[in-house]
Amino acid sequence: MAAEQATGSRPIAGRRAVVTGGLSGIGAATTALLRSRGAQVAVLDREPAADVTVDVRDAESVEAALASAAELLGGPADVLVASAGIYRIAPFLDLEPGEWDDVMATNLRGTYLAGRAFARALVAGRRPSGAIVNLASTAALVGDADEPGAHYNASKAGIVSLTRQMAIELAPHGIRVNGVCPGVIDTPMLRLMDDPAAGRRYLRESVPLRRLGTAAEVAAAIAFLASDEAAYITGAALPIDGGSTLL
C-alpha cells in the first residue's frame, strides 16, 4: 500500500524528460519541478549553461541535441517540454519580414523540429508511450491592442494547431501531445508591468483572479499533462490565465 501511495504521489518519477528553453522562466520552473518529482531532465537551450546547447531553428542542431540528451539520460526521453520561444512586440504596419521570420523560426519551427526529433526517436526505439507538452500562449486565442505582436500571436496559434495535428498522428504510437496557453505570467519575458500603474489596471479590469500567474503554476500544469495522471488527455490546449480569456 505504501508503495502504491508513493507511486501515486510521484506519477512522473523515473521518466526521462527533455525541456527546450529550460534555463529561464517557465522552462526553468518546469525543469525544477520535474526533477523534484523524480524525473531525469536534460535542459536544451541556446545558452552555454544548458546540459545540451541547441539552436531550435536548425534541424540538424535539434537532432544532435536530442541524441546528446539521450546519452545524458541513459536512453531516449519519453517526455518533451517544448518551451523555447521569444516574445516580440511590433505594430502590424511596421512589422518587417525579418522580424516575422525570426519569431516564426524560433517559436513555431522550433516546436515542430523538437517534436519531430523526439517522436522519431520514440517510434524508432519502439517505446510504448511518451508525452509532449508544447508551450503556446493566450496570444493564440485573443488579440492585444496594447502589446501588438502579429508575428508572436500567429506563431502561438500555429503551435495550438500543430499540437492538435501531432496528437492525432502520434496517438497510434502511444504518444500524447498537449499544449498550455499561459496568460500574464511573472517571468523575464513579461512586459505588462513595465508601466506598473497600467499593469495594475490591466490585472484589475482584465484578469478575474486579479493577479499575475507564476512560472511554478504553469510548470505544475505542464507536469500534470506530461504525467500518467493525464493518460487520457491528448490534443488539449489548456489556458492558464487567471480567467482573462473569459472576458
Side-chain angles (χ1 to χ4, degrees), residues 32-87:
L33 182 60
L34 293 179
R35 284 176 173 163
S36 75
R37 294 184 178 180
Q40 295 177 267
V41 184
V43 172
L44 275 58
D45 202 286
R46 63 184 178 181
E47 300 298 330
D51 297 320
V52 180
T53 56
V54 67
D55 179 354
V56 296
R57 303 167 300 179
D58 180 77
E60 291 185 1
S61 178
V62 171
E63 293 282 352
L66 266 291
S68 296
E71 292 182 8
L72 288 174
L73 296 171
D78 52 17
V79 170
L80 168 66
V81 179
S83 67
I86 56 176
Y87 180 55

Side-chain angles (χ1 to χ4, degrees), residues 74-164:
D78 52 17
V79 170
L80 168 66
V81 179
S83 67
I86 56 176
Y87 180 55
R88 300 288 185 268
I89 299 171
F92 181 73
L93 293 178
D94 299 329
L95 182 59
E96 296 296 332
E99 296 175 293
W100 174 277
D101 292 344
D102 186 39
V103 170
M104 284 292 180
T106 302
N107 294 358
L108 184 54
R109 177 182 170 89
T111 300
Y112 141 69
L113 288 175
R116 186 184 69 162
F118 170 85
R120 282 180 169 179
L122 278 184
V123 172
R126 300 183 183 275
R127 300 291 295 276
S129 64
I132 299 173
V133 184
N134 295 325
L135 196 71
S137 168
T138 54
L141 311 175
V142 294
D144 190 333
D146 295 322
E147 293 187 8
H151 45 349
Y152 180 78
N153 292 29
S155 73
K156 293 300 185 177
I159 289 172
V160 170
S161 183
L162 174 65
T163 295
R164 291 171 176 157

